[in-house]
Each structure stands twice: as C-alpha cells, then as structure tokens.
Amino acid sequence: MSSTEITEQDSSPLPRRRMSREERQRQLLDVAWQLVREEGTEALTLGRLAEQAGVTKPVVYDHFTTRPGLLAALYQEFDARQTALMDAALRTSEPTLDSKAMVIASSYVDCVLLQGREIPGVIAALTTSPELEKIKREYEAIFMDKCRNALLPFAGTGEIAQASLRAMLGAAEALSHAAATGEITPVQAQDELFATIVAMVQRSARTGGSLET
C-alpha cells in the first residue's frame, strides 16, 4: 500500500456518534434558547427548532410533544438554575435579615441576567395558555415558600403574608426584566429588590403579618 493510500485512509471521516437522549435534549434546549435570543419567543416553534438543530420534526416532537411543552421545559431549566444558585448562597450566608435579603435579590437578578434577554420572553409566553400559567404558578409558589422560610426568623412573631410575597415576586420580575433590557443597571435592580424585601419583612414584624396599616 502506498503512502498516499495510507494518508487517504487515515483522513477518512470517523462515523458520527449517536447522541444519547439526554445529549439530544441538551442540544435542543441550547438551540431553543439561541432562537429566542436571536429571533424572539414568537419564532420558537417545534418545526423551526428542528430546522435549526438539524434534526427531523419527529425528534423534536418526541422530546417536547407541543410548543407549550417546549416553553415549559425552558422555564423549568431556568427555575432549576435559579433554585440551585439561591440555595447555595443561602447556605453560606450570614444569619441576618440583610444577608438573606441580599442573597434573594442578587440570586434572582443574576440568574435572569445569566440567561439573558430571552427569559422575560419565555416568562411572558407562559401566560398564553392555562397549562403554562399553571406551571408558572407552581414554580412561583415554591420560590415564595423558600423566601418565606428564609425570611420568617426576622419577622418577629409575625407571619409574612402571601400578598406581600406576591408583591415581592412582581418586583423581582419587573426589576430583573429592566436590568436585562438595559433600562437600569444590575446593581440598581439588586439594590431596589433588596430594599423591597427588607421593607416587607420589617412591615410584617410591625403588623404581625397583617396587611392592615
């Protein structure tokens, strides 16, 4: 065999390794985030995702079934990342109101910024169907319970009302969105959310958790 033949054989492409289901899911989610980032949530369809990922439509349908299923998967991934970030920070934070409030504020804003401008669009899209709204509400309830448990020791003998936690979450979403779009700086978003959380807890301590003034 000549050296030329050996070189040609050595340079022949290796067979492509078949992705595992987990690897394919990871690839599809990465491409979906990129699509939302570059073209907006409206452009995210299962067909468009298949085209961009270089796979057939049945592959995408097998993983997500429907567009709401895809949006839910994106939100669940964001929520898991946010939960892990906040849990780790809470475990190492000082046992003070300021420390816990700053962890919640910085974790929420940082996670939104880490995901980029695409997450506000995904969150907004979750309100387009009862199925997606239900998923969003379930994860919101988990987040608010986590915040309540972290902050309750600083509320004296009072309880932190659900309405107060809902207001805090609304502020977190709005401030993070504003930071992601460049309307305000990340530091401004964190500082304002921190002040909102501290004021909420202090008010709960004064009123015993009641919404009455």
Side-chain angles (χ1 to χ4, degrees):
M1 181 181 296
S2 69
S3 59
T4 301
E5 290 173 330
I6 293 175
T7 301
E8 289 176 351
Q9 288 184 0
D10 290 346
S11 63
S12 60
L14 295 173
R16 181 179 299 177
R17 183 177 69 85
R18 185 182 183 88
M19 283 187 181
S20 68
R21 183 172 181 82
E22 292 74 19
E23 290 171 332
R24 179 64 73 189
Q25 176 105 350
R26 177 71 269 150
Q27 180 217 11
L28 293 174
L29 287 173
D30 287 344
V31 173
W33 282 120
Q34 182 180 350
L35 259 174
V36 174
R37 185 180 312 118
E38 295 177 352
E39 303 180 25
T41 311
E42 299 78 11
L44 185 62
T45 65
L46 298 189
R48 181 80 172 122
L49 176 57
E51 176 187 332
Q52 289 295 101
V55 299
T56 61
K57 286 184 182 180
V59 170
V60 176
Y61 278 86
D62 179 53
H63 281 269
F64 305 111
T65 308
T66 63
R67 183 175 185 271
L70 172 58
L71 288 167
L74 291 175
Y75 183 75
Q76 287 163 354
E77 181 173 72
F78 164 75
D79 180 84
R81 186 181 298 114
Q82 184 183 66
T83 297
L85 181 66
M86 191 167 85
D87 284 351
L90 284 173
R91 283 194 297 269
T92 59
S93 62
E94 296 293 326
T96 65
L97 173 57
D98 281 3
S99 180
K100 300 300 183 184
M102 182 52 71
V103 164
I104 294 171
S106 59
S107 296
Y108 197 100
V109 174
D110 286 348
C111 197
V112 171
L113 294 178
L114 180 64
Q115 193 61 66
R117 292 189 176 193
E118 57 269 29
I119 190 60
V122 171
I123 291 175
L126 293 175
T127 63
T128 60
S129 77
E131 174 190 359
L132 291 175
E133 180 69 16
K134 181 174 182 291
I135 292 173
K136 183 173 182 286
R137 292 290 181 183
E138 288 172 353
Y139 280 97
E140 286 176 346
I142 294 171
F143 174 78
M144 288 188 291
D145 282 345
K146 191 182 298 291
C147 291
R148 178 188 281 114
N149 292 335
L151 298 170
L152 197 56
F154 312 104
T157 59
E159 175 61 47
I160 301 177
Q162 184 71 10
S164 299
L165 291 165
R166 176 59 64 182
M168 178 203 70
L169 180 58
E173 288 188 356
L175 290 165
S176 298
H177 188 183
T181 58
E183 181 183 345
I184 61 176
T185 69
V187 172
Q188 288 173 325
Q190 290 177 2
D191 287 349
E192 189 62 31
L193 183 53
F194 166 80
T196 299
I197 295 169
V198 170
M200 173 189 72
V201 177
Q202 292 175 340
R203 179 167 176 263
S204 296
R206 290 195 307 271
T207 63
S210 170
L211 291 180
E212 298 176 0
T213 57

